[in-house]
Amino acid sequence: MALNKANYLLTKDAENDLVEIARYTLQNWGKAALLRYQKELTSSFHAIANGPALNRQPLPQLSDVHVTKSQKHFIFYILQNEVPVIIAVIHEQRDLVSQLMTRLTP
């Protein structure tokens, strides 16, 4: 993971989520939609890094995991040394808990 200009990190799993989202959006909605959606997600990542993103803790047993929503996707992240680490970007129609748990188990 490398820190980017916005002071947040993406795990490999989160990067893979973004690739999957890009493929699906491009195939089903076209390039213009893909560019809009990428801009929205990037804006959400910046909001997480800079503090104004509305967030909550999705499960009491996962108190270190935070979540915010961007369009049709939930963005899950943890804080490491005050830096948000985005661990998952999951579509609202997917099984969020099982998808998230695969990211948190070794």
Side-chain angles (χ1 to χ4, degrees):
M1 291 182 293
L3 192 63
N4 66 26
K5 293 183 224 175
N7 295 326
Y8 63 85
L9 300 170
L10 292 168
T11 63
K12 191 65 170 168
D13 286 332
E15 288 176 357
N16 291 338
D17 292 339
L18 295 176
V19 169
E20 182 181 318
I21 291 165
R23 282 185 191 142
Y24 180 86
T25 304
L26 184 59
Q27 180 180 11
N28 291 284
W29 306 105
K31 186 174 182 178
L34 170 61
L35 295 174
R36 282 192 308 272
Y37 210 69
Q38 286 176 328
K39 185 176 180 180
E40 176 63 33
L41 286 170
T42 300
S43 177
S44 295
F45 298 157
H46 286 278
I48 290 168
N50 295 319
L54 295 176
N55 71 72
R56 57 189 167 98
Q57 294 172 317
L59 300 169
Q61 63 270 36
L62 300 175
S63 61
D64 58 336
V65 176
H66 302 270
V67 64
T68 192
K69 191 165 186 198
S70 179
Q71 301 282 331
K72 301 277 185 180
H73 286 83
F74 287 97
I75 302 168
F76 293 91
Y77 63 98
I78 59 175
L79 296 174
Q80 288 183 350
N81 300 320
E82 304 296 319
V83 175
V85 178
I86 298 168
I87 59 174
V89 184
I90 304 172
H91 193 275
E92 66 186 5
Q93 292 184 346
R94 307 242 351 232
D95 182 349
L96 297 173
V97 174
S98 68
Q99 290 287 314
L100 182 59
M101 294 310 286
T102 64
R103 310 298 171 93
L104 299 172
T105 54

